[in-house]
Amino acid sequence: MKKPLLIVGALVVIAAIVGGWMWYQHSRPQMLTLYGNVDIRTVNLSFRVGGRLASLSVDEGDAVRKGQTLGTLDRAPYENALMQAKANLATAEAKLDLAKAGYREEEIAQAQAAVSQAEAAYQYAQNFWQRQQGLWKSRTISANDLENARSSRDQALASLKSARDKLSQFKTGNRPQEIAQAQAGVDQAKAQVAQAELDLHDTTLVAPSPGTLLTRAVEPGSMLNAGSTALTLSLTRPVWVRAYVDERNLHRATPGQQVQVWTDGRPDKPYTGKIGFVSPTAEFTPKTVETPDLRTDLVYRLRIIVTDADDGLRQGMPVTVTFDESRHEQ
């Protein structure tokens, strides 16, 4: 009788252990597995100005560093434009100096002499007209002769007034509006010089960030329009993973959480990353994501920043992302 009781007791203990283990496994947080793709950002590089491509110093597959010169355009047209802009600036500055300085003493003296000459001419015309009036009273001259004398007197008076106005202008100097107009011409010329210098600087194409050259779309000698793509650069950093999580597990994916990123090429050595962004809006599962769930399920996009990325991660590479909620909660 004792032996069957021992067997039954042992079975009960085993059942309790198995049940407890199953309850523990069921109740403990399970590791969440997500699927996505590597999302390495690319930059289409172009010249901000147009012209003939003079040289390219890199080729597809080359690693480039930030600030490295990648290519140049023919600089001659832009150097000529800069010299022209500087010459225009010099002319505008000279005009401004003249406007501020006013008229020279020699010019004022010439204007004074012109006034004296006009006064003498007017005085002669006035006296002649008066004499003609006396002759008209005695009917010695015709009405036409009198009218001609009066007209000559009026013309001499107008010439005198013009000479006096010019002398007054010379003594007073240029008006404030004329000086302001000359100053505006200088400012405009300076802006043209600055733009010409910028255009000349933009004939050199430099790398905005470190990366790897993906595409070389043009060759030296080509005529390029401003903004047309010459090179395509794959940025070395940052490397992101685009993954998706369903609504049931959305609360388990929080910004800042550490994750592991697995690739087929490194099945035993995952990359380390952290969640940097969780989309606030839902979308349908993209066809490029391999998940065991239905395609029509709504999911939320995650951006995972890979902190120890290397050349093993390539654009579009499928990856598996895993993280344990219990590790995050500790």
Side-chain angles (χ1 to χ4, degrees), residues 45 58 62-70 205-212 233-237:
L45 303 179
V58 291
D62 289 349
V64 301
R65 63 183 183 279
K66 182 177 180 179
Q68 177 180 344
T69 298
L70 306 179
L205 182 63
V206 299
S209 302
T212 302
L233 182 67
S234 173
L235 301 183
T236 303
R237 298 290 184 275

Side-chain angles (χ1 to χ4, degrees), residues 202-275:
D202 287 338
T203 59
T204 300
L205 182 63
V206 299
S209 302
T212 302
L213 195 67
L214 292 182
T215 306
R216 174 170 164 161
V218 294
E219 295 298 329
S222 302
M223 293 299 299
L224 303 180
N225 294 323
S228 59
T229 299
L231 304 169
T232 302
L233 182 67
S234 173
L235 301 183
T236 303
R237 298 290 184 275
V239 176
W240 296 336
V241 168
R242 185 189 299 267
Y244 297 84
V245 61
D246 57 24
E247 188 173 357
R248 295 191 307 273
N249 296 301
L250 179 61
H251 67 283
R252 301 176 64 183
T254 57
Q257 183 164 353
Q258 297 293 323
V259 298
Q260 291 181 318
V261 179
W262 303 81
T263 63
D264 294 340
R266 293 191 356 176
D268 299 327
K269 188 178 180 182
Y271 294 94
T272 302
K274 66 177 181 179
I275 298 177

Side-chain angles (χ1 to χ4, degrees), residues 107-135:
E107 293 174 319
I108 296 176
Q110 290 177 357
Q112 182 65 62
V115 170
S116 299
Q117 183 178 4
E119 287 177 342
Y122 170 71
Q123 190 62 42
Y124 174 80
Q126 175 71 9
N127 294 335
F128 180 75
W129 181 66
Q130 290 176 349
R131 290 196 303 270
Q132 293 296 89
Q133 280 183 318
L135 295 175

